[in-house]
Amino acid sequence: MSSTESLPTPSLLSGTSLLSGIKLSMLDLVPTRTGYSTADAIRESVAVAQHVEQLGFERFWLAEHHNIEGIASSATAVLIGHIAGHTQSIRVGSGGIMLPNHPPLVVAEQFGTLATMYPDRIDLGLGRAPGSDQATMRALHRRPEDAEDFPQQVEQLQQLLGPMQHGQKLKAIPGADTNVPIWLLGSSLFSAQLAAQMGLPYAFASHFAPRMMLEAVNLYKNNFRPSATLAEPYVIIGVPVVVADTEQEAQLLATSGQQKILALFRGQSLSLVPPVTSMDGHWLPHEQQGVEQFLSAAAIGAPEQVKAKLNALLAQTGANELMVVTDVYEQNARHHSLSLLAELVK
């Protein structure tokens, strides 16, 4: 089967839900809300991590972004340690660290230290995008061609986190022998192909770039080579999710996320804003089309509607795990949305 063909769709028996027993995880950018401080945003991320841990979520990842007003997850490794220190069992990691922004030795030392402090709880998801604009790339001393070395950087990172070799001169201390699980993240075909070649687990960013989702997952699965790390392909799909007691309420809550993406398109602050009763008058037709395409993988609605959407997504992709992004302004509503979602997998 070529990489452009559709993935096989698992047969669905009457009443059977592919969501039943699926692993749920969460991606958080530590969003700041209008009217609240960055310190508030960090406290709220701790609270939501504790909440999803109680709900049985598998992992809680934070994403590296720089120079973006409204997103407070720039010091990703620091926040991972903070979240891990305020939770008990949930896996905490990066979704992801933009590896070309950092020397692999520094990343290995940071995550080796985290893994030493919180054994068997730390994940290292890696991407190759800059995570910001050209000015910030220069401030990070990153060159456009640095992304070309991404495969070699991943290999070096594996070596630094793996067993110490006889005569090894470059060592990550802490880091060596911690074997922190490495994930490759992507929104295109490059990381899918590399993850397949290296036998690594793969997470696709369909929460903001769903267009190539099926092709990327298909490419990864068809070309996967078993490794010492992973015997079979393993896929996480990112998905925006807003669940509420009624469809009307969910659609209302989701307007905060829609306004955030609209602000991204306009180059404005990404601080999360309160919901609005209608987006009419807030966007132009071409902006509405862009936001809807951006969020085309989203599952928004009452529980049964979200269940149907996520079941269809799992049937299309055969994903092993769903990683949700829930941009809801009111924190009680955000927690309730995640609680309703957790009920769907039981």
Side-chain angles (χ1 to χ4, degrees), residues 232-251:
E232 298 179 349
Y234 192 99
V235 175
I236 290 179
I237 294 296
V239 55
V241 174
V242 178
V243 199
D245 295 320
T246 66
E247 179 184 9
Q248 182 178 13
E249 182 184 2
Q251 294 293 344

Side-chain angles (χ1 to χ4, degrees), residues 182 184 191-202 216-235 320:
I182 290 176
L184 292 192
S191 291
Q193 182 69 52
L194 183 60
Q197 291 175 351
M198 300 185 74
L200 292 172
Y202 179 58
V217 171
N218 199 13
L219 180 67
Y220 169 68
K221 289 188 173 186
N222 287 344
N223 293 278
F224 182 82
R225 299 175 184 173
S227 67
T229 301
L230 195 63
E232 298 179 349
Y234 192 99
V235 175
N320 304 90

Side-chain angles (χ1 to χ4, degrees), residues 80-111:
I80 289 170
H82 185 62
I83 297 289
H86 285 79
T87 51
Q88 301 297 320
S89 59
I90 193 170
R91 299 193 66 87
V92 188
S94 58
I97 291 292
M98 300 298 108
L99 187 54
N101 289 350
H102 315 277
L105 176 61
V106 172
V107 176
E109 290 169 341
Q110 290 175 343
F111 279 77

Side-chain angles (χ1 to χ4, degrees), residues 4-342:
T4 57
E5 293 174 3
S6 298
L7 290 168
T9 301
S11 59
L12 287 172
L13 300 177
S14 177
T16 298
S17 171
L18 294 175
L19 270 178
S20 180
I22 197 76
K23 289 182 179 179
L24 288 178
S25 294
M26 184 168 187
L27 177 66
D28 189 49
L29 276 63
V30 193
T32 57
R33 298 188 288 153
T34 54
Y36 294 83
S37 68
T38 300
D40 291 328
I42 293 172
R43 283 191 289 269
E44 288 166 359
S45 287
V46 170
V48 77
Q50 293 170 336
H51 181 63
V52 297
E53 178 178 61
Q54 293 173 353
L55 294 174
F57 278 44
E58 180 74 10
R59 60 191 97 240
F60 187 89
W61 281 3
L62 298 121
E64 176 188 350
H65 290 281
H66 300 282
N67 195 31
I68 300 178
E69 186 179 349
I71 294 178
S73 56
S74 55
T76 316
V78 176
L79 286 169
I80 289 170
H82 185 62
I83 297 289
H86 285 79
T87 51
Q88 301 297 320
S89 59
I90 193 170
R91 299 193 66 87
V92 188
S94 58
I97 291 292
M98 300 298 108
L99 187 54
N101 289 350
H102 315 277
L105 176 61
V106 172
V107 176
E109 290 169 341
Q110 290 175 343
F111 279 77
T113 300
L114 288 167
T116 302
M117 295 167 62
Y118 307 104
D120 300 318
R121 291 189 57 206
I122 302 300
D123 292 330
L124 176 51
L126 301 172
R128 66 187 184 109
S132 194
D133 54 29
Q134 294 293 323
T136 308
M137 286 179 63
R138 290 192 293 272
L140 291 167
H141 294 176
R142 172 173 172 158
R143 304 164 301 167
E145 61 268 25
D146 288 342
E148 298 174 6
D149 298 328
F150 184 68
Q152 291 74 31
Q153 293 169 333
V154 175
E155 288 182 358
Q156 184 180 24
L157 195 49
Q158 284 183 308
Q159 293 167 359
L160 289 168
L161 292 171
M164 194 86 74
Q165 302 299 314
H166 178 71
Q168 181 175 333
K169 293 184 178 180
L170 183 63
K171 305 170 185 176
I173 304 171
D177 292 314
T178 57
N179 299 298
V180 178
I182 290 176
W183 296 71
L184 292 192
L185 284 55
S187 58
S188 65
L189 303 183
F190 179 88
S191 291
Q193 182 69 52
L194 183 60
Q197 291 175 351
M198 300 185 74
L200 292 172
Y202 179 58
F204 187 81
S206 41
H207 58 287
F208 70 82
R211 185 174 64 86
M212 302 186 76
M213 176 183 68
L214 291 181
E215 189 174 1
V217 171
N218 199 13
L219 180 67
Y220 169 68
K221 289 188 173 186
N222 287 344
N223 293 278
F224 182 82
R225 299 175 184 173
S227 67
T229 301
L230 195 63
E232 298 179 349
Y234 192 99
V235 175
I236 290 179
I237 294 296
V239 55
V241 174
V242 178
V243 199
D245 295 320
T246 66
E247 179 184 9
Q248 182 178 13
E249 182 184 2
Q251 294 293 344
L252 172 66
L253 296 175
T255 61
S256 292
Q258 291 169 338
Q259 292 177 86
K260 177 180 176 179
I261 304 309
L262 180 61
L264 174 66
F265 291 168
R266 293 176 172 176
Q268 300 170 344
S269 168
L270 299 191
S271 294
L272 206 59
V273 298
V276 292
T277 54
S278 173
M279 287 294 291
D280 292 343
H282 288 268
W283 53 19
L284 298 172
H286 73 278
E287 292 175 322
Q288 177 180 356
Q289 182 180 21
V291 172
E292 289 174 349
Q293 288 176 347
F294 193 102
L295 298 172
S296 62
I300 299 167
E304 286 304 312
Q305 293 169 311
V306 170
K307 181 178 181 179
K309 173 74 176 188
L310 295 180
N311 269 318
L313 188 64
L314 291 172
Q316 284 182 304
T317 62
N320 304 90
E321 189 171 331
L322 295 175
M323 182 162 284
V324 303
V325 177
T326 300
D327 282 327
V328 171
Y329 185 81
E330 291 294 342
Q331 293 306 289
N332 287 340
R334 191 185 193 204
H335 287 212
H336 185 54
S337 175
L338 294 163
S339 296
L340 292 174
L341 174 64

